[in-house]
Every structure is written in C-alpha cells, then in structure tokens.
Amino acid sequence: MTDEGPIREAASMIGGAKKIVAFTGAGVSEESGIPTFRDPGGLWDRFDPNELGGGDIFSNLFAGAGTPSGSLEFMSEILSVLKEATPNPGHQALADLESMGFSISVITQNIDNLHREGGNSRVIEVHGNIFRLVCLNCGEKQMLAREELFRLGDELVGFLEAGDFESLIKLASRCGCGGICRPDVVGFGEPVQDMPQAIEEAKTCDLLLILGTSGAVYPAAYLPGHAKKAGAKIIEINATQCCFQEMADIRIIAKTGDALPLIVERVRELRRGIQQ
Ligand code: NAD
C-alpha cells in the first residue's frame, strides 16, 4: 500500500508546477511485461550484454560476419515481449497530465514506444526507439507501424535461422536510397540521441519526475543533476530504492503504475477543490 502523505505532497507539487519533465527508465515499462535491465530475472541475466547489447551487432550482421551465439533467442524474446506490451497505468497517468493541460515532456531511456502509445506527445527518446529504422547509408529514419516491426522481425529471425543471408539483406534494404536499415536504438558504446534537447528540457523545467530508473546509464543519468542545479524540485518514484535520493524532494517507494494514477487522481481533486 502506497503511503498517502508523499502521494498528496507530490500531487500538490505537480498542481503548482509550470513545466514538468518526466525522466523515465525501464521500471516504468515493467508493469507492461517488459523486463528491466538490472532487476533479477531480466533479459540481461540470461544474455551477455557485452556480446548482444552493442550496436556493432547490426554492422556485423549486415557485413556477413554472422551473429554471436544466443542472438537469435535474444531477438525472438525481445520481439515476443514487445508484441504483448501495451501502455500501463503509469504511462497513462503521464498522458493524463498532458491532457489535463500541464506542460509535460517525457525524456525516456526506454526504446519501447509506450509513452507515445500511451498518449504523451512530447517524448525525447535518448536511447532511440525500436519501432524506428535508420538507414546505414543516408541516415534517413522511418517509423514502423507495430505490426510491421513484428512482421519484419519474424522474417529476419527466420532468415537468420535458415542462414539465408541474401534474403536478409534484401529485407533490410528498405531505404529509398537503396541503403540497409537497422533499428534506431542506441547500443552500448554508441552515442545517445537528442541529448542537447534533453538537457535543455531538464534545465528549464521547474519539476522533474524521476521514474523507474537505476540511474546507472550515462550520460542520461546526468539529466537530474542539470534540473537540480537549475532549481527544479524533484520527485522520485522507484519500486525498490530511490537512486537519486540525495537530490529528491519527495521519494516514493512504489511501482509507478500504482503511485502515478493515485497522484494524478489527487491532482484532479485539488483542481476540483480550487474550482469550487
Ligand atoms: P534499470 O533496469 O537499470 O533500472 C530499473 C529501475 O526501475 C530499478 O531501479 C528498479 O528498482 C525500478 N523498477 C522496477 N520495476 C519498477 C516499477 N514497476 N515501478 C517503478 N520502478 C521500478 O533501467 P534503466 O535505469 O532504465 O537503465 C537500463 C537501460 O536499458 C536503459 O538505458 C534502457 O535503454 C534499456 N532498457 C529499456 C527497456 C525498455 O525499453 N522498456 C527495458 C530494459 C532496458
């Protein structure tokens, strides 16, 4: 059961905020069935991040160098988890704040597109988005519909299983320039995306929500420091431990899918109270 005191305090802080930024991590999507990075039982407990988490997995694949062992199971598992994932009450609560008229942007480390699907319109994805492809030749990006990603993914896994490299290259050559496309996600060791925009958002908000992140991945984990330095208030919500607790004004140990809807409900009550 989530403690009512901090929920009310958080609601009142949100109610008075002029510009809110939500900085989110894998924990926010845990209740959508997507395993987090570091929690026990997660994907990376079973697969080696050094082998499978680097961006060079794609370049090697398309250069004909094959894939490291375990990569087929890894890709199949990610695809099947994403197929089932839909926005949870935590994503929806953030979208509710936007539809209630709050100025809110989301800076996410997640690649699962669930903040956009949930209804937030200002989303900065510093680690990319798996539903977007980028051309390795000209850099052009294209967003895929959900079904299209899964169809492509299943075909790709099928060609890899069959060792049909020619069909795989044909499948990946989807850009107008004839170039090969890869998922537009940031692998270990690759540069993050839209960081200047994310820093600007963090520096100009007056309230930062830190949600479901261990804060272990840099440079994204510098963002709360930028907000704090610029004078923003900070609310942190994490299911197990608050990782930015020294910076946070309010700390809530709870699942975001439990705490955020309660907070948004209290914000609604506060607004109704003011209007009466
Ligand atoms: P992390 O796995 O390092 O940390 C997750 C944090 O969320 C933990 O502190 C955990 O206590 C907390 N948590 C777990 N379930 C929660 C819940 N229901 N509500 C609130 N908190 C919860 O994740 P990270 O900090 O985002 O870093 C991992 C990196 O891996 C990210 O950069 C991201 O790109 C990538 N990743 C993305 C996804 C995704 O797109 N959904 C999933 C796994 C990993």
Side-chain angles (χ1 to χ4, degrees):
M1 188 61 201
T2 314
D3 211 0
E4 185 61 19
I7 295 285
R8 284 188 184 282
E9 280 177 57
S12 133
M13 215 174 251
I14 287 175
K18 291 194 169 56
K19 176 172 173 175
I20 304 169
V21 168
F23 172 53
T24 73
V28 168
S29 293
E30 181 265 337
E31 290 152 278
S32 297
I34 304 179
T36 64
F37 188 68
R38 282 173 191 80
D39 290 320
L43 270 184
W44 302 104
D45 258 3
R46 284 167 293 124
F47 297 100
D48 181 353
N50 294 317
E51 284 218 354
L52 301 176
D56 51 5
I57 192 171
F58 299 113
S59 347
N60 289 343
L61 176 64
F62 297 129
T67 51
S69 76
S71 54
L72 272 180
E73 294 86 335
F74 176 73
M75 284 183 210
S76 304
E77 190 164 332
I78 287 193
L79 286 171
S80 68
V81 159
L82 285 170
K83 246 181 222 173
E84 300 303 317
T86 53
N88 66 52
H91 296 106
Q92 274 146 12
L94 292 177
D96 285 348
L97 288 177
E98 182 171 330
S99 51
M100 285 161 75
F102 285 96
S103 164
I104 175 166
S105 356
V106 178
I107 303 174
T108 189
Q109 300 166 85
N110 297 340
I111 58 163
D112 54 31
N113 204 42
L114 290 181
H115 285 298
R116 290 185 197 276
E117 275 186 48
N120 280 102
S121 63
R122 289 187 297 284
V123 183
I124 300 173
E125 294 149 325
V126 288
H127 294 162
N129 182 328
I130 199 161
F131 290 88
R132 200 168 52 223
L133 297 180
V134 58
C135 173
L136 293 175
N137 181 46
C138 70
E140 181 82 9
K141 299 194 179 195
Q142 48 177 296
M143 197 70 193
L144 297 177
R146 272 183 80 79
E147 310 69 42
E148 207 178 358
L149 173 82
F150 299 127
R151 187 183 54 75
L152 276 179
D154 289 344
E155 278 186 62
L156 180 126
V157 169
F159 291 145
L160 279 173
E161 267 166 356
D164 184 352
F165 188 69
E166 210 175 298
S167 301
L168 187 132
I169 293 291
K170 225 182 196 172
L171 179 76
S173 304
R174 292 178 52 95
C175 187
C177 78
I180 292 177
C181 296
R182 61 165 266 188
D184 190 23
V185 294
V186 175
F188 295 125
E190 294 188 312
V192 292
Q193 300 183 1
D194 298 329
M195 202 55 187
Q197 199 190 339
I199 293 173
E200 183 60 22
E201 285 294 298
K203 280 182 170 169
T204 52
C205 70
D206 61 344
L207 177 61
L208 182 77
L209 312 177
I210 304 178
L211 307 171
T213 176
S214 64
V217 180
Y218 288 86
Y222 288 126
L223 290 167
H226 285 295
K228 186 75 186 171
K229 212 167 149 196
K233 295 273 185 222
I234 295 184
I235 300 171
E236 181 173 13
I237 306 177
N238 191 300
T240 59
Q241 56 170 339
C242 286
C243 306
F244 292 86
Q245 55 180 327
E246 279 159 25
M247 289 185 200
D249 299 279
I250 299 174
R251 293 170 284 276
I252 298 175
I253 300 290
K255 293 195 172 210
T256 41
D258 291 334
L260 284 170
L262 289 177
I263 294 172
V264 170
E265 195 41 46
R266 297 288 168 276
V267 176
R268 285 204 181 93
E269 285 169 12
L270 280 174
R271 284 191 156 185
R272 282 198 292 267
I274 288 167
Q275 277 163 9
Q276 277 163 10

